[in-house]
Amino acid sequence: MEKISQKYRPKIFEEVIGQDLVVKTLINVIKTRRISSGYLFAGPRGTGKTTLARIFAKALNCENLLNGYQPCNQCR
């Protein structure tokens, strides 16, 4: 059985709520392809660290980015 937090987890950057500055920063990194060797997602519980890290990783590994930054969610 899938946890409710995983079932309704945002799958794309536009679905993330309340982290506009972080989302914009990550989108700019993907668009410009100026990727650093490491990223630290820190903060209190429930702020979207894991969600943003998962979307960011999918976007970095995606072969068919939508709009130049959005993961297609079809890649392995």
Side-chain angles (χ1 to χ4, degrees), residues 45-56:
R45 285 180 50 186
T47 56
K49 299 176 299 289
T50 302
T51 298
L52 284 168
R54 289 170 59 115
I55 296 170
F56 186 56

Side-chain angles (χ1 to χ4, degrees), residues 8-25:
Y8 295 107
R9 178 172 296 199
K11 304 277 191 269
I12 58 174
F13 287 115
E14 275 116 17
E15 293 176 352
V16 177
I17 299 171
Q19 294 292 339
D20 299 332
L21 186 60
V22 178
V23 169
K24 184 176 181 181
T25 302

Side-chain angles (χ1 to χ4, degrees), residues 10-74:
K11 304 277 191 269
I12 58 174
F13 287 115
E14 275 116 17
E15 293 176 352
V16 177
I17 299 171
Q19 294 292 339
D20 299 332
L21 186 60
V22 178
V23 169
K24 184 176 181 181
T25 302
L26 295 176
I27 287 172
N28 287 336
V29 166
I30 295 166
K31 282 183 176 180
T32 60
R33 285 292 182 196
R34 295 182 57 110
I35 302 163
S36 298
S37 60
Y39 291 88
L40 181 63
F41 293 86
R45 285 180 50 186
T47 56
K49 299 176 299 289
T50 302
T51 298
L52 284 168
R54 289 170 59 115
I55 296 170
F56 186 56
K58 279 197 271 185
L60 291 178
N61 293 315
C62 185
E63 297 173 357
N64 306 313
L65 289 174
L66 307 173
N67 300 329
Y69 64 89
Q70 205 70 264
C72 68
N73 288 319
Q74 302 299 319

